[in-house]
Amino acid sequence: RKSGILEYVDTEKLETADIGGLDNLKKWLEIRKKAYTPEAEQFGIGWPKGVLLVGVPGCGKSLSAKCVAASWKMPLLRLDLGRVFGMYVGSSEANIRLALSMSEAVSPSILWIDEIEKALSGLASSNQSDGGTTSRVFGTILTWMQEKKSPVFVFATANNIGSLPPELLRKGRFDEIFFVDLPNEQERAEIFRIHIKRIGRNPENFDIAKMVKLSGEASLGDGVRLTGSEIEACVNQALLEAFFVRNSEGHPEG
Ligand code: ATP
């Protein structure tokens, strides 16, 4: 299951509806899903190449990778670029070739390249610092993305577009680049509902409008809004507190 650089990620219980907000991405993915049908192939529609999701941590990039794999019913393989760089000259390139060919061997599949900027951050100076390994590995990935023969959908995620090499952002590399921002009011409402359902409660019984207000700029200050992951944490905390109240044990922290 875990080869070190390539990890099979279990996505069994997820669906696209588990993502709150990110409507453009969800719509795009729904349409592209149809490209994998025999009808689409007969019609001459090629396989989608992939997408790049860039944006704020904790707002659903990883979640989206998992949900798309579940919705498309394809295996999700997470590539840990940080681990690709081996100790011996030449082994990094061999590692990446092996990982890429493994993703083709189980295709149609989704190759999730997580936090792509982390591994590539030293690219500009890499020729001096690592004998050019980073740029050769990066080149191998770019060439493979252009020339791969099997339906492997690349789902790349990054936190900061400024640290990504321009070659990666060139037109035609990915089908689309999506920016993920802090959720707005409507998106926060959706995310609260999703997580309230997840803990087995009915969102109709909750004052979602108040939660939306408390988790946004009106309460937290200019430019401050909770992330999806913080909303999830709030719901979990509220459940815990409700449990203490119900059992009349008082709050453990007073
Ligand atoms: P990072 O860059 O830190 O990996 P990320 O954008 O990939 O962040 P996720 O790992 O997807 O963020 O989010 C963490 C958790 O927060 C998710 O597993 C999910 O439970 C919750 N969450 C985040 N965003 C959303 C969302 N848009 N809808 C529903 N849940 C969300």
Side-chain angles (χ1 to χ4, degrees), residues 18-22 55-64 66 114-115 159 191 194-195 228-229 232:
D18 290 321
I19 311 170
L22 307 184
V56 190
C59 288
K61 299 189 295 295
S62 308
L63 177 67
S64 301
K66 293 174 198 161
D114 194 16
E115 300 190 341
N159 290 333
I191 300 173
I194 287 169
H195 288 287
S229 140
E232 178 187 19

